[in-house]
Amino acid sequence: MDLRSTPARVVLVAVLAMVWMGAALVRLGYLQIICYSDYLFRAHRQQQRIIEISPKRGSIYDRNGRELAMSVQVDSCFAVPSEINDADMVARLLAGILHQPEEEIAARLSASRSFVWIARKLRPEKVERIQALNLRGIYFQKENQRIYPKRKLAAHVLGYVDLDEKGLAGVEYELDSEIRGTPGRMLVLTDARRRWFERTEKAADAGSSVMLTLDENIQYIAERELAAAIRQTHALAGSVIVQDPNTGALLAVANWPTFNPNAAGDGPADAHMNRAIGALYEPGSTFKIVTVGAALEEGITRPTEVIDCQMGAIYIAGHRIRDHKPFGLLTVAQVLSNSSDIGAIKLGLRLGAPRMYDHIRAFGFGTLTGVDLPGETRGIVRHVENWSAISIGAVSMGQEIGITPIQLTSAMSAIANGGLLYRPYVVRELRRAGRITPMEQPEPRRAIAPQTAATLRQLLEGVILEGTGKLARLEGYSAAGKTGTAQKVDPATGRYSSSQVIASFVGFAPVNNPAVTILVTLDSPVGAHHGGDVAAPVFKRIAEPVLAYLNAPHDAEVTPGLRRVSLKRNADISPADLSDFDPIQVQDAIGETPAASAPPLPKSPAPTVALAEGEGIAVPQLAGQTVRGVTEECLRLGLNPVLVGTGLAVQQSPEAGMMVRRGSSVTVRFGRAPAQARAAGQGN
């Protein structure tokens, strides 16, 4: 081809053009089809920025609907650095208002040209001062901030959140996925010069609200009295738990030291520990409720049996164990009321390690209670194969075992309610968009028999009436409980300290119709340090106002001064039935059934072995007596009362005057006499 000719040149140009256009089309196709996603992603990354906005967390309420935690909208400050002409001047002005280093703000402004946070969740006065500066490139965005209006109240139960509203402790952490909701988003659009020109927002979806079992007033009483005890005893730490023994619901959980969840980072780290469920300690004498309960359950003793406490000393496997006092002959009831270590050890030796271990586990020790709060400790209960020759003696008096306050509270509640071990819980229900979702609770399991629980209740009442817990005696209410003074192990020597102890008291009230179980622990009190001296009075100061607040009927003598106060507060309330019957003690209780219609009690079997002269006990006449009167009379004679119903005694088996052995059961049915039933019917 002659390129000097015009046609040839045209063809050449046409071919070159087609090759160039083909190459361009191939390149465009590659960019538009093969690389489309990658370039679109790069464009969005350069032109858009998505900022997550913290969601509105659901509120947390106490059992009466009082808000303990809420979320409110506040302003957060952000900047678009590309719009700021003098970044150093802006940094200097903002530093004076925000009390932050000028260099730190300047570094943020230089980190990006499209969007940077300057300060999150500002106080209104700071927002007003920044707005008054009218700075170009400085904007505000609404965010949600968690507020705890009661400040330190129930801090360890509620927990706290971080800057992005994520739960870090307590209920806030345990139920974070339900409370948190769905975060919102802010989309910031910029042009080629990284200048912000538009933003769009997607609102956050609110999370579920939580209704707790806690009562704000009971929580306040518990925290107030714990703080007073800490000031008085100079203890290092302490806990108080108030529980409904009939359901397992926690009415108050107080710990010291404590913190303000509105500023959780300001206090020491150890203040965040929920000691009520996470502090591990040797229980000491409070654990004797398990030892005595196990012995009664196994039928190897009875309350009136006399035990030789050997004037305060016993040898086990070559080791000498001394009592806190030199006791001689004590009944089992007195062993518990006087907290004799030797008496408890002798009962433990009768039980033997395997049976003792089984009863410890039956009461829930050595395993998680399942309380719906984070940080619970399992405790330490070594398997029986790992016990030494002396372990049975040590465990019987509350050593060589590690428990938590919540475990001991649950065990005492089982005694109070008739032998059922409930899972302690603090969350009652969730609420969202008008829907209420109750939290399912597992069925309780039996720890001891109802008869054993009834006997233990009376023995524990003796601890307060006649034993080491006299300072826990209540005005107008019966109460039962157990003191404890457990030596702490000195980390330096590995031996028990002679000065550092855990002083404790755990009890319930009223005795046969329990409304609350209360535990008090004080870590290393200074000066007076026995549980009966420092923890028992705290139980009293908490129990009395709490029972009055719950309108629990009085079942014990009321002083004239207290009666006047009660009548003034409840002038329009008629006198309540002061029956002390526990409805959980016998599941088929008749309640208000008149005597005439009550089914007959099963006859107790006649003794198969003849009683020697002077060996038997004549069953007393119990008709017409109250539950308390029947119980006291039976225990005084060495009989085991089995109570059915409420009101006055109307039937009994065996009959009055019948001779029975000491320790025999006497079943008594309570109800209204026919005349009382007719009068009640006419009054309705």
Side-chain angles (χ1 to χ4, degrees), residues 79-85 108-116 137:
V80 180
S82 61
E83 298 182 7
I84 299 175
N85 296 324
R108 292 179 195 166
L109 293 174
S110 62
S112 172
R113 292 188 54 80
S114 59
F115 180 97
V116 291

Side-chain angles (χ1 to χ4, degrees), residues 279-291 339 341 356 360 365-366 379-381 394-409 411 482-489 496 501-506 519-522 531 535:
L280 196 65
Y281 71 104
E282 287 189 350
S285 293
T286 54
F287 200 71
K288 290 170 185 171
I289 63 174
V290 178
T291 305
S339 199
D341 291 338
M356 185 69 181
I360 290 172
F365 297 103
I380 300 175
V381 177
V395 171
S396 297
M397 60 180 183
Q399 295 181 351
E400 288 194 18
I401 187 170
I403 71 169
T404 61
I406 192 66
Q407 289 176 334
L408 184 59
T409 305
K482 186 68 189 76
T483 58
T485 308
Q487 292 175 290
K488 295 174 63 177
V489 175
Y496 285 107
V501 301
I502 301 290
S504 60
F505 185 91
V506 59
L519 175 136
V520 179
T521 63
L522 296 172

Side-chain angles (χ1 to χ4, degrees), residues 200-447:
T200 58
E201 298 180 20
K202 178 183 179 296
D205 294 330
S208 299
S209 293
V210 180
M211 185 74 71
L212 301 180
T213 61
L214 291 190
D215 187 293
E216 178 185 306
N217 292 326
I218 298 177
Q219 181 73 29
Y220 170 75
I221 293 170
E223 292 191 12
R224 179 190 66 191
E225 297 306 332
L226 177 60
I230 294 292
R231 289 194 300 269
Q232 182 179 0
T233 65
H234 305 287
L236 298 178
S239 296
V240 168
I241 299 175
V242 182
Q243 184 181 39
D244 180 349
N246 302 304
T247 64
L250 298 175
L251 306 179
V253 178
N255 294 282
W256 183 272
T258 186
F259 66 98
N260 184 350
N262 291 305
D266 293 349
D270 64 340
H272 294 170
M273 179 183 181
N274 189 345
R275 298 175 182 274
I277 67 171
L280 196 65
Y281 71 104
E282 287 189 350
S285 293
T286 54
F287 200 71
K288 290 170 185 171
I289 63 174
V290 178
T291 305
V292 175
L296 292 171
E297 182 83 344
E298 294 290 339
I300 62 175
T301 190
R302 59 184 184 276
T304 55
E305 181 191 0
V306 176
I307 294 179
D308 183 6
C309 295
Q310 303 179 187
M311 298 309 296
I314 191 173
Y315 284 90
I316 300 180
H319 295 270
R320 187 186 189 191
I321 300 177
R322 297 186 61 85
D323 218 331
H324 65 97
K325 284 184 181 180
F327 295 111
L329 298 178
L330 296 178
T331 65
V332 171
Q334 291 171 331
V335 166
L336 196 60
S337 63
N338 291 287
S339 199
S340 169
D341 291 338
I342 305 303
I345 290 172
K346 285 197 167 184
L347 292 177
L349 290 172
R350 284 193 205 173
L351 278 166
R355 286 195 291 182
M356 185 69 181
Y357 175 83
D358 290 342
H359 284 282
I360 290 172
R361 297 304 296 261
F363 272 104
F365 297 103
T367 186
L368 298 175
T369 66
V371 63
D372 45 3
L373 288 171
E376 184 184 9
T377 302
R378 183 181 299 274
I380 300 175
V381 177
R382 291 180 296 133
H383 199 272
V384 67
E385 282 83 3
N386 297 321
W387 288 20
S388 66
I390 197 177
S391 292
I392 184 63
V395 171
S396 297
M397 60 180 183
Q399 295 181 351
E400 288 194 18
I401 187 170
I403 71 169
T404 61
I406 192 66
Q407 289 176 334
L408 184 59
T409 305
S410 297
M412 183 60 87
S413 288
I415 296 171
N417 67 36
L420 296 176
L421 189 68
Y422 284 88
R423 180 178 78 91
Y425 67 99
V426 72
V427 179
R428 192 172 76 183
E429 62 191 30
L430 298 177
R431 299 183 175 186
R432 187 168 191 173
R435 292 179 300 172
I436 298 177
T437 306
M439 303 301 288
E440 294 184 4
Q441 303 301 327
E443 289 295 320
R445 60 182 178 83
R446 182 157 295 282

Side-chain angles (χ1 to χ4, degrees), residues 508-530:
F508 54 88
V511 172
N512 286 296
N513 189 19
V516 290
T517 300
I518 301 174
L519 175 136
V520 179
T521 63
L522 296 172
D523 186 349
S524 305
V526 178
H529 59 273
H530 290 101

